[in-house]
Amino acid sequence: MTLMPPDRQRTYRELVEGKTLVQGELNGSHFTPKKRMANPENAKWYIRLEAPDYKTGNTYGTWWGEVPNVRYPDGKTFYGYIDEWLNHWRQVFAPNHQYFFTQPNGKPFKASSLKELIRRVFYRLLDVPGTPHILRKMFITYLYEKQVPGHVLDSAALAMHHSRHMQAQSYNRQEQSDKLRPILTLTVELAQQAVGSQT
């Protein structure tokens, strides 16, 4: 939820290795699974969602998202942690399902149990309530506050499976004064240029 633009909680709950979480190489719209690659050590992880797998799938169709392979201070990579989870730790919980993530009791996450997990993390780190959906709003609000270029906002909208209109209306939680600041700054600059050209 922090390495990629945050997705809807359903995506995380329903991740299944080999179905919605796949490893290989994506070139355009052609995917080569790791076992068929000439150099399998170059394989990347992807989240692949078909239309029925997500809320706006009928609008956006098949969606691919590359999972970044971040290196952590301990020297391990995110892909290394994925492998460690799949090859060792997941089995410790003896899950009774095929989903990537599992609760400590071996049961799959439900919307309520994932929401509760995220809420506890928010309280532990920030002493405030939070939900998976709030992460989406926080991410978009941050992008608007940083005044990232339009093409980045377009990319974020696509990554989060919604339109720029939905992004601006439902996810950007800036105060009105913050939303107005860029245009006010620009008009002052234009006015100063106009005054400067008259002298």
Side-chain angles (χ1 to χ4, degrees), residues 95-111:
N96 61 0
H97 56 85
Q98 80 279 13
Y99 299 116
F100 180 83
F101 293 110
T102 188
Q103 294 190 70
N105 62 8
K107 294 182 180 178
F109 277 100
K110 295 180 181 176

Side-chain angles (χ1 to χ4, degrees), residues 69-88:
N69 191 21
V70 175
R71 183 169 297 280
Y72 292 95
D74 65 2
K76 292 185 181 179
T77 65
F78 189 62
Y79 286 9
Y81 281 116
I82 291 174
D83 292 340
E84 192 174 316
W85 170 254
L86 288 172
N87 298 321
H88 177 71

